[in-house]
Amino acid sequence: FVDRFTKLRLDVADLESAFVRFADMVKQGRPLGPEISILKIWGTETWQALSELMMEAAGPDSATVGAL
């Protein structure tokens, strides 16, 4: 669990760095190239992996809504 969580923390940090880089490009009025599309794919994959890890950590209660 710790290894997977650590990898996801690093993935989120890398993703944030990429977002900041692209945001800076927009602020400077520079055009964004096709590589911007990787953010959606990368962000979606990271969110899914994080969600799966949280569900695994929560165990059987992961599908519970509201107070237990």
Side-chain angles (χ1 to χ4, degrees):
F1 176 85
V2 172
D3 289 341
R4 287 172 55 201
F5 180 74
T6 301
K7 181 189 177 311
L8 281 169
R9 285 187 62 169
L10 293 172
D11 287 348
V12 169
D14 288 343
L15 191 57
E16 177 186 18
S17 177
F19 269 105
V20 168
R21 188 182 70 150
F22 286 119
D24 286 343
M25 290 173 68
V26 170
K27 289 176 188 175
Q28 295 169 5
R30 295 173 32 206
L32 298 174
E35 66 274 6
I36 189 74
S37 63
I38 193 68
L39 285 181
K40 180 175 181 170
I41 296 167
W42 190 10
T44 301
E45 288 175 349
T46 301
W47 178 255
Q48 178 159 351
L50 183 58
S51 298
E52 289 171 357
L53 186 62
M54 289 188 315
M55 288 180 63
E56 184 180 317
D61 293 330
S62 66
T64 304
V65 177
L68 295 176

